[in-house]
Amino acid sequence: MKIALIGNQNSGKTTLFNLLTGSNQKIGNWPGVTIERKVGMIRGTNHELVDLPGIYSLSPYTSEEEISRKFVFEEHPDIIINIIDATSIERSLYLTTQLLELDTKVIIALNMTDILEKKGLHIEIDKLRQELDADIIPISALKRTGIKELIERIKTNAVQSNQNQMIFQPEVEKAIATIEQTLNGGHRRFIAIKLLEHDPLFLTLHQPFIDDLANKLELFFATDMEELIASGRYQYITSMKKRTVTHHPPIIDVTDRLDKVFLNKWLALPIFAVIMFLVYYLAVGTVGRFTVEGINSLVSSFGTWVRSGLISLNASAWSASLVSDGIIAGVGAVLNFVPQLIILFLCISILEATGYMSRIAFFLDRIFKRFGLSGKSLIPFIVGTGCSVPGIMATRTIEDPEERRMSIMLTPFIPCSAKLPIIVLFASYFFPKHSGVVSVSLYFLAIIVILFSALVMKKFFFKGKPSPYISELPEYKVPSPRYILRDVGEKTWEFVKKAGTIILLSSVIIWFFLSFSWTFQYGVDVEESILASIGRLFSWVLYPMIGEMSWGATVSAIQGLVAKEQVVSSMAVIAGLSEEVASGSGIFNAQIFSFFTPISAYSYMIFNLFSAPCFGAIAAMRRELGSRKRVWIAVSFQTGLAWVIASLFFGIGTLIGGIFG
Amino acid sequence: MKNKCTLQVGEQGHLSDLHVGQKARVLALHNDSKSLRRHLLDMGITKDVEILVKKKAPLGDPVDIELRGYELCIRLSDMKNIDIEVIPS
């Protein structure tokens, strides 16, 4: 059987999906975490469960909501599990009334029953079951109650369908019945209502007499069909709610109290700045220096140890060099940064789970609106601090296509976790006392770059009207430690896996091009290597921002296309191979990178952070933008802008340095 | 509060005219933008529904409103499309 999981945004669909299938999909406390459908097998059965993006109605507004609606009509699920947030039952049942009009079997999973009491709500479930004439199973996805009953019900397939309750005014019901009689196939009641509402998706089924029916009703009720149907549903729900739900609101609402601080007129922005500062300060400033110095020497002594081991085993010089100078140096350089990334992932995961992220979107909306964006663009940006790819995908929650395109092009400007190694490497060496401040400054620079770019794009490419911003404000939640640990573990593992695959392969390739000359002679000086000669072709590009014709810095920056952390890895391999003795004292002690000054280090960071993202992110942009031309525009724009800002910084920085130095 | 005059109970206006803590009943939704109207209807903003203005974003916009037992963020510019009558809160 094929089973669809459908419900409002932020109603706990994915949490339930993970429970039912035993998988570990991303959850979060903001509307619109699930942007693609996800498929899994329900534990102990061979039934397929599909987790769909949250919707409030079967008339969707955004591309990701469209996925849910299409699934229902085109893939004909056998059962729909309609998950409902019991604490906002009135709004949730609006979707339910529509689902119950389909011919599909529907089970209502009444979620969050564990916190009903805390919110002063009481629902008489038996009565509600009777009134709706539908199957209801109370559950708590968080406390894991009611799940067994739900699986049991799916297994036995004892579910009602097609209740066809008459919920509208008699005149409306009569019109629906008239249209129904002319229809063939499934979902007749549902389609009849949609035809009355003039839904664009069912225009092919339209017949002239439907207009007459609609016109008469509109005259009679002095309103239009859309409002008539929507009010009809809500009136039915309110009267049912009066009979089944009692509400005694608690005196102290924790969420309201917290919002008095976090959404305070004067405190909100400073608190936000402090939180973002802390995230980067913790990740880079505190753990940063310790790990770079500590583990760097560990890795290089490990490399030396392996090399001497290999040589004592009579391994050839080139193979010993491949392993220690290529693989261990390259992969090790990236693995150095795992501790920082764990801290970063932990902070972001907590931010996402508590519900603070929706607040950030809420209070920055006004500023973002000025630049043609909305608060909703902020969610891709914050997700993008982990990785641009899910960040770019998170733009699907944005309704307006132009605003969405802009957000897709802007998300890669956010320093993702793979860029963190670059920041930490340079910041901790050149600004040892202020590495935290320096990395935070890059983050704020990213925000300025984003707003500036948005302004430019709005001026030249996109000239749309602002789209509406309608979003739920979720309650604050204490994040579940189990989930946070799993989330952080998974992201960290992804990073390590990447180091063991892409970075490893790239390191081997880099080692090869560094160790051989064009005549395939092994063991040449790196300056005579293939890589050096390739790099020299392009080193003029970076000259204006580092003040040096450096092929090493150039080829490393280009490798950022593979993965941003590859920049660090490449520099480590180049530095290691260029020195006669493996001194173990870091990349910048190598002759080849000794030209870097604090100013050129900062400009080089700027270029690497804001230029074209890695291939993974470019591919995601291609998918979401749907046009190769737009991707070219975006990538050229990003790289061009990065070059200009980096060169400007270097030029001005050197000038000021010259005056005061 | 700014020197904009406050709507009193019984007076009519737009939802965007209300201050935090004021409550209103919806009279009608404007028809300027079809998709916005549809969206508002789906979110439960229908005729006669009662809405409480609960929080304002620190910069004054958007606004968090409470209706039908849940909270919704909406911009002042979109709230201008909602005609209301102030009721006692």
Side-chain angles (χ1 to χ4, degrees):
Chain A
M1 273 199 302
K2 201 188 284 175
I3 297 155
L5 194 53
I6 293 183
N8 290 169
Q9 294 179 348
N10 219 27
S11 62
K13 284 182 304 303
T14 306
T15 313
L16 180 61
F17 178 84
N18 288 344
L19 269 183
L20 289 175
T21 60
S23 71
N24 187 24
Q25 294 295 347
K26 176 160 188 62
I27 58 169
N29 186 13
W30 77 86
V33 181
T34 307
I35 42 187
E36 279 187 310
R37 66 186 227 194
K38 281 163 189 151
V39 186
M41 286 291 173
I42 295 182
R43 274 193 277 201
T45 70
N46 50 6
H47 301 321
E48 198 181 68
L49 184 68
V50 184
D51 183 20
L52 292 163
I55 47 176
Y56 293 104
S57 152
L58 285 174
S59 41
Y61 315 98
T62 64
S63 59
E64 114 270 14
E65 290 170 8
E66 184 69 36
I67 295 172
S68 305
R69 166 153 153 167
K70 274 212 174 121
F71 186 83
V72 172
F73 290 107
E74 286 167 20
E75 309 217 12
H76 313 289
D78 299 285
I79 299 178
I80 291 173
I81 299 176
N82 173 212
I83 180 165
I84 281 185
D85 175 356
T87 62
S88 45
I89 192 162
E90 197 170 332
R91 191 206 58 222
S92 310
L93 284 175
Y94 181 76
L95 177 65
T96 309
T97 60
Q98 299 176 46
L99 294 174
L100 289 178
E101 280 154 8
L102 302 168
D103 290 349
T104 318
K105 294 180 173 183
V106 177
I107 305 178
I108 298 168
L110 193 66
N111 191 23
M112 313 205 194
T113 42
D114 55 308
I115 51 170
L116 275 178
E117 222 168 290
K118 225 190 286 169
K119 298 209 70 185
L121 280 158
H122 178 77
I123 302 176
E124 288 181 54
I125 290 165
D126 284 324
K127 224 172 179 180
L128 188 67
R129 202 177 274 139
Q130 254 173 23
E131 296 246 355
L132 272 174
D133 191 23
D135 291 287
I136 302 178
I137 296 172
I139 64 161
S140 163
L142 200 71
K143 294 271 152 66
R144 305 174 164 221
T145 57
I147 307 300
K148 250 196 209 146
E149 291 88 324
L150 188 59
I151 294 183
E152 218 32 62
R153 187 65 70 94
I154 295 165
K155 272 187 185 163
T156 54
N157 198 7
V159 187
Q160 301 180 40
S161 72
N162 203 11
Q163 289 86 340
N164 283 349
Q165 283 232 62
M166 309 266 199
I167 63 172
F168 300 106
Q169 291 97 324
E171 296 83 358
V172 181
E173 286 293 348
K174 219 176 125 195
I176 295 171
T178 315
I179 300 171
E180 257 188 276
Q181 278 165 9
T182 67
L183 294 173
N184 302 311
H187 309 312
R188 290 195 348 232
R189 178 175 166 85
F190 180 84
I191 294 171
I193 297 170
K194 283 286 156 201
L195 284 172
L196 265 182
E197 283 183 300
H198 228 96
D199 188 295
L201 232 82
F202 293 97
L203 279 184
T204 47
L205 294 171
H206 191 76
Q207 298 164 71
F209 83 94
I210 295 172
D211 282 335
D212 294 340
L213 283 176
N215 284 343
K216 266 185 213 151
L217 286 172
E218 285 177 345
L219 264 172
F220 185 76
F221 288 101
T223 178
D224 65 306
M225 276 319 301
E226 282 192 324
E227 179 165 20
L228 192 57
I229 296 290
S231 308
R233 293 188 195 284
Y234 272 112
Q235 271 162 22
Y236 164 72
I237 294 163
T238 357
S239 76
M240 182 166 54
K241 188 181 163 197
K242 267 187 202 134
R243 295 188 291 273
T244 53
V245 182
T246 46
H247 188 201
H248 305 284
I251 300 145
I252 300 165
D253 190 320
V254 181
T255 290
D256 286 348
R257 289 222 158 166
L258 285 172
D259 273 342
K260 284 231 158 71
V261 181
F262 288 117
L263 291 181
N264 179 284
K265 209 172 174 176
W266 306 108
L267 295 177
L269 281 170
I271 290 176
F272 169 62
V274 166
I275 287 177
M276 289 328 283
F277 182 85
L278 274 180
V279 168
Y280 280 85
Y281 195 82
L282 273 176
V284 181
T286 52
V287 219
R289 254 172 49 215
F290 160 73
T291 50
V292 170
E293 282 161 16
I295 305 182
N296 218 359
S297 63
L298 246 166
V299 169
S300 64
S301 39
F302 179 66
T304 321
W305 180 74
V306 170
R307 181 206 300 272
S308 50
L310 282 170
I311 286 171
S312 73
L313 289 171
N314 280 328
S316 58
W318 72 264
S319 62
S321 169
L322 169 64
V323 172
S324 63
D325 300 329
I327 296 172
I328 295 177
V331 175
V334 166
L335 288 182
N336 272 345
F337 299 97
V338 167
Q340 287 93 321
L341 288 173
I342 290 177
I343 304 278
L344 181 73
F345 292 149
L346 191 69
C347 293
I348 296 172
S349 191
I350 291 171
L351 272 187
E352 287 178 352
T354 48
Y356 183 63
M357 195 130 97
S358 302
R359 264 78 190 173
I360 304 175
F362 178 58
F363 67 68
L364 286 185
D365 178 66
R366 173 130 200 206
I367 299 175
F368 274 49
K369 201 170 75 174
R370 296 236 165 122
F371 296 90
L373 299 165
S374 77
K376 283 191 178 172
S377 329
L378 212 93
I379 287 173
F381 296 160
I382 294 179
V383 175
T385 54
C387 173
S388 295
V389 176
I392 289 166
M393 283 166 57
T395 58
R396 290 188 192 173
T397 53
I398 299 169
E399 284 160 56
D400 184 72
E402 288 199 344
E403 188 188 317
R404 182 160 172 242
R405 256 176 244 142
M406 270 168 82
S407 306
I408 293 168
M409 296 182 177
L410 297 173
T411 301
F413 281 134
I414 290 287
C416 69
S417 60
K419 290 171 183 166
L420 202 70
I422 305 177
I423 301 178
V424 179
L425 176 74
F426 281 91
S428 58
Y429 187 84
F430 290 101
F431 310 94
K433 291 206 179 98
H434 309 286
S435 58
V437 183
V438 166
S439 46
V440 174
S441 76
L442 284 162
Y443 190 81
F444 281 100
L445 183 64
I447 296 177
I448 296 169
V449 168
I450 282 174
L451 293 180
F452 171 76
S453 311
L455 217 57
V456 172
M457 287 182 182
K458 201 178 143 198
K459 188 116 190 147
F460 294 106
F461 307 117
F462 306 119
K463 283 170 182 155
K465 275 187 287 178
S467 65
Y469 172 77
I470 297 171
S471 177
E472 245 186 289
L473 198 61
E475 307 221 312
Y476 288 105
K477 278 190 191 125
V478 180
S480 130
R482 185 173 15 167
Y483 167 72
I484 299 263
L485 286 180
R486 236 168 33 165
D487 188 47
V488 171
E490 213 159 85
K491 282 179 184 161
T492 310
W493 177 234
E494 275 302 312
F495 183 81
V496 172
K497 236 171 38 191
K498 215 162 89 189
T501 51
I502 300 172
I503 303 296
L504 185 121
L505 186 69
S506 310
S507 299
V508 171
I509 294 171
I510 290 303
W511 173 86
F512 177 83
F513 285 122
L514 272 172
S515 303
F516 287 88
S517 68
W518 285 105
T519 54
F520 289 103
Q521 196 186 349
Y522 170 71
V524 293
D525 190 276
V526 286
E527 295 290 338
E528 265 116 62
S529 66
I530 299 175
L531 196 70
S533 63
I534 297 175
R536 280 194 198 98
L537 285 178
F538 301 101
S539 47
W540 54 271
V541 178
L542 263 60
Y543 181 79
M545 68 187 74
I546 52 179
E548 186 83 21
M549 294 293 268
S550 166
W551 62 268
T554 310
V555 289
S556 299
I558 295 171
Q559 285 172 67
L561 283 169
V562 174
K564 283 291 171 180
E565 65 265 44
Q566 176 61 24
V567 175
V568 169
S569 171
S570 159
M571 287 179 73
V573 176
I574 294 173
L577 271 176
S578 69
E579 292 296 279
E580 305 285 299
V581 206
S583 54
S585 45
I587 290 167
F588 298 107
N589 288 349
Q591 180 69 36
I592 196 160
F593 292 124
S594 59
F595 68 87
F596 271 112
T597 62
I599 292 172
S600 59
Y602 200 90
S603 332
Y604 189 66
M605 278 195 280
I606 291 179
F607 183 73
N608 279 299
L609 257 46
F610 300 138
S611 61
C614 67
F615 287 132
I618 294 177
M621 283 165 72
R622 165 83 181 80
R623 272 199 311 274
E624 301 302 319
L625 287 169
S627 123
R628 195 164 294 173
K629 195 181 140 212
R630 287 206 192 99
V631 177
W632 273 112
I633 294 177
V635 170
S636 327
F637 179 78
Q638 286 158 351
T639 312
L641 188 67
W643 188 85
V644 170
I645 301 175
S647 303
L648 272 178
F649 183 87
F650 182 73
I652 296 170
T654 315
L655 204 71
I656 295 174
I659 293 166
F660 293 100
Chain B
M1 289 288 135
K2 293 193 186 114
N3 48 5
K4 236 196 295 177
C5 54
T6 313
L7 283 181
Q8 302 299 321
V9 173
E11 284 187 300
Q12 297 186 354
H14 302 303
L15 190 59
S16 49
D17 301 333
L18 297 190
H19 294 303
V20 171
Q22 278 193 299
K23 215 171 172 182
R25 199 178 68 235
V26 171
L27 301 172
L29 296 176
H30 295 194
N31 218 348
D32 300 346
S33 159
K34 241 359 226 148
S35 66
L36 171 68
R37 186 161 190 273
R38 170 89 238 181
H39 201 156
L40 294 176
L41 286 172
D42 282 342
M43 298 310 282
I45 304 180
T46 57
K47 197 168 173 279
D48 287 334
V49 74
E50 290 177 5
I51 295 180
L52 169 72
V53 175
K54 211 162 172 197
K55 300 161 194 167
K56 270 192 183 169
L59 299 165
D61 189 22
V63 178
D64 179 48
I65 59 175
E66 189 182 86
L67 73 153
R68 299 192 186 274
Y70 82 103
E71 287 177 34
L72 187 71
C73 304
I74 178 170
R75 280 183 184 159
L76 284 173
S77 54
D78 298 329
M79 289 164 84
K80 284 206 178 93
N81 288 298
I82 303 166
D83 289 340
I84 48 94
E85 184 186 278
V86 183
I87 57 172
S89 38

Short mmCIF file of all heavy atoms in Angstrom, two decimals, chain A residues 317-318 321 511-512 514-517 520-526 528-529 577 580:
data_model
loop_
_atom_site.label_atom_id
_atom_site.label_comp_id
_atom_site.label_asym_id
_atom_site.label_seq_id
_atom_site.Cartn_x
_atom_site.Cartn_y
_atom_site.Cartn_z
N ALA A 317 59.95 5.81 -2.79
CA ALA A 317 59.86 7.19 -2.31
C ALA A 317 58.55 7.83 -2.73
O ALA A 317 57.91 8.54 -1.97
CB ALA A 317 61.04 8.00 -2.83
N TRP A 318 58.14 7.56 -3.97
CA TRP A 318 56.94 8.23 -4.45
C TRP A 318 55.69 7.74 -3.73
O TRP A 318 54.79 8.50 -3.44
CB TRP A 318 56.79 8.10 -5.97
CG TRP A 318 56.41 6.72 -6.49
CD1 TRP A 318 57.25 5.78 -6.94
CD2 TRP A 318 55.08 6.18 -6.59
NE1 TRP A 318 56.57 4.65 -7.32
CE2 TRP A 318 55.23 4.88 -7.11
CE3 TRP A 318 53.81 6.66 -6.27
CZ2 TRP A 318 54.13 4.04 -7.32
CZ3 TRP A 318 52.72 5.82 -6.49
CH2 TRP A 318 52.88 4.53 -7.01
N SER A 321 55.55 9.30 -0.37
CA SER A 321 55.18 10.70 -0.50
C SER A 321 53.68 10.84 -0.80
O SER A 321 53.00 11.71 -0.25
CB SER A 321 56.00 11.35 -1.61
OG SER A 321 55.48 12.62 -1.92
N TRP A 511 48.43 15.97 -5.53
CA TRP A 511 49.77 15.44 -5.27
C TRP A 511 50.44 15.05 -6.59
O TRP A 511 51.61 15.35 -6.83
CB TRP A 511 49.67 14.22 -4.35
CG TRP A 511 51.00 13.53 -4.18
CD1 TRP A 511 51.97 13.83 -3.28
CD2 TRP A 511 51.50 12.45 -4.98
NE1 TRP A 511 53.06 13.01 -3.47
CE2 TRP A 511 52.80 12.15 -4.51
CE3 TRP A 511 50.98 11.71 -6.05
CZ2 TRP A 511 53.58 11.15 -5.06
CZ3 TRP A 511 51.77 10.70 -6.59
CH2 TRP A 511 53.06 10.42 -6.10
N PHE A 512 49.68 14.39 -7.47
CA PHE A 512 50.22 13.94 -8.75
C PHE A 512 50.71 15.13 -9.58
O PHE A 512 51.84 15.14 -10.05
CB PHE A 512 49.15 13.16 -9.51
CG PHE A 512 49.59 12.72 -10.88
CD1 PHE A 512 50.34 11.56 -11.04
CD2 PHE A 512 49.27 13.46 -12.00
CE1 PHE A 512 50.77 11.16 -12.29
CE2 PHE A 512 49.68 13.07 -13.26
CZ PHE A 512 50.44 11.91 -13.40
N LEU A 514 51.55 17.94 -8.62
CA LEU A 514 52.61 18.68 -7.94
C LEU A 514 53.93 17.93 -7.99
O LEU A 514 55.00 18.53 -7.90
CB LEU A 514 52.24 18.90 -6.48
CG LEU A 514 51.43 20.13 -6.11
CD1 LEU A 514 51.01 20.02 -4.66
CD2 LEU A 514 52.24 21.39 -6.34
N SER A 515 53.85 16.61 -8.12
CA SER A 515 55.06 15.81 -8.03
C SER A 515 55.67 15.53 -9.39
O SER A 515 56.80 15.06 -9.48
CB SER A 515 54.76 14.48 -7.34
OG SER A 515 54.22 14.71 -6.08
N PHE A 516 54.90 15.77 -10.44
CA PHE A 516 55.42 15.46 -11.77
C PHE A 516 55.53 16.72 -12.61
O PHE A 516 54.75 17.66 -12.47
CB PHE A 516 54.49 14.46 -12.48
CG PHE A 516 54.59 13.06 -11.92
CD1 PHE A 516 53.81 12.67 -10.84
CD2 PHE A 516 55.49 12.15 -12.47
CE1 PHE A 516 53.91 11.40 -10.31
CE2 PHE A 516 55.59 10.87 -11.94
CZ PHE A 516 54.80 10.49 -10.87
N SER A 517 56.50 16.70 -13.51
CA SER A 517 56.63 17.79 -14.48
C SER A 517 55.92 17.37 -15.76
O SER A 517 55.41 16.25 -15.86
CB SER A 517 58.10 18.06 -14.77
OG SER A 517 58.64 16.94 -15.46
N PHE A 520 56.71 14.13 -17.23
CA PHE A 520 56.40 13.02 -16.33
C PHE A 520 57.61 12.53 -15.55
O PHE A 520 57.82 11.35 -15.34
CB PHE A 520 55.73 11.85 -17.09
CG PHE A 520 54.35 12.21 -17.52
CD1 PHE A 520 54.08 12.55 -18.82
CD2 PHE A 520 53.33 12.27 -16.58
CE1 PHE A 520 52.81 12.92 -19.22
CE2 PHE A 520 52.05 12.64 -16.96
CZ PHE A 520 51.80 12.98 -18.28
N GLN A 521 58.39 13.49 -15.15
CA GLN A 521 59.52 13.19 -14.31
C GLN A 521 59.07 13.35 -12.86
O GLN A 521 58.50 14.38 -12.50
CB GLN A 521 60.65 14.17 -14.63
CG GLN A 521 61.97 13.74 -14.11
CD GLN A 521 62.99 14.83 -14.34
OE1 GLN A 521 62.74 15.81 -15.06
NE2 GLN A 521 64.14 14.68 -13.73
N TYR A 522 59.30 12.33 -12.02
CA TYR A 522 58.87 12.41 -10.63
C TYR A 522 59.89 13.14 -9.77
O TYR A 522 61.08 13.07 -10.04
CB TYR A 522 58.64 11.00 -10.06
CG TYR A 522 58.42 11.04 -8.55
CD1 TYR A 522 57.25 11.57 -8.02
CD2 TYR A 522 59.42 10.62 -7.67
CE1 TYR A 522 57.07 11.65 -6.65
CE2 TYR A 522 59.24 10.69 -6.31
CZ TYR A 522 58.06 11.21 -5.80
OH TYR A 522 57.91 11.31 -4.45
N GLY A 523 59.38 13.80 -8.76
CA GLY A 523 60.26 14.37 -7.76
C GLY A 523 60.86 15.72 -8.14
O GLY A 523 61.85 16.14 -7.58
N VAL A 524 60.22 16.40 -9.10
CA VAL A 524 60.74 17.72 -9.45
C VAL A 524 60.39 18.72 -8.36
O VAL A 524 59.51 18.47 -7.53
CB VAL A 524 60.15 18.21 -10.78
CG1 VAL A 524 60.64 17.36 -11.93
CG2 VAL A 524 58.64 18.23 -10.70
N ASP A 525 61.06 19.82 -8.36
CA ASP A 525 60.71 20.91 -7.46
C ASP A 525 59.29 21.36 -7.78
O ASP A 525 58.91 21.42 -8.96
CB ASP A 525 61.69 22.07 -7.68
CG ASP A 525 61.53 23.13 -6.62
OD1 ASP A 525 60.63 23.99 -6.78
OD2 ASP A 525 62.29 23.07 -5.64
N VAL A 526 58.48 21.65 -6.75
CA VAL A 526 57.08 22.01 -7.02
C VAL A 526 56.96 23.16 -8.01
O VAL A 526 56.01 23.25 -8.75
CB VAL A 526 56.30 22.36 -5.73
CG1 VAL A 526 56.00 21.11 -4.94
CG2 VAL A 526 57.03 23.38 -4.90
N GLU A 528 58.45 23.52 -10.63
CA GLU A 528 58.50 23.03 -12.00
C GLU A 528 57.38 22.05 -12.30
O GLU A 528 57.35 21.43 -13.36
CB GLU A 528 59.85 22.34 -12.27
CG GLU A 528 60.86 23.25 -12.89
CD GLU A 528 62.06 23.46 -11.97
OE1 GLU A 528 62.74 22.47 -11.66
OE2 GLU A 528 62.26 24.61 -11.53
N SER A 529 56.49 21.87 -11.36
CA SER A 529 55.43 20.86 -11.53
C SER A 529 54.36 21.32 -12.52
O SER A 529 54.30 22.49 -12.90
CB SER A 529 54.78 20.56 -10.18
OG SER A 529 54.09 21.71 -9.74
N LEU A 577 54.66 19.69 0.29
CA LEU A 577 55.56 19.19 -0.75
C LEU A 577 56.65 20.18 -1.10
O LEU A 577 57.70 19.82 -1.62
CB LEU A 577 54.76 18.85 -2.01
CG LEU A 577 54.20 17.44 -2.10
CD1 LEU A 577 53.35 17.30 -3.34
CD2 LEU A 577 55.31 16.40 -2.09
N GLU A 580 61.54 21.16 2.08
CA GLU A 580 62.49 20.04 2.08
C GLU A 580 62.17 19.10 3.23
O GLU A 580 62.02 17.92 3.07
CB GLU A 580 63.92 20.58 2.24
CG GLU A 580 64.31 21.62 1.20
CD GLU A 580 64.59 20.98 -0.15
OE1 GLU A 580 65.50 20.15 -0.22
OE2 GLU A 580 63.87 21.30 -1.13
#
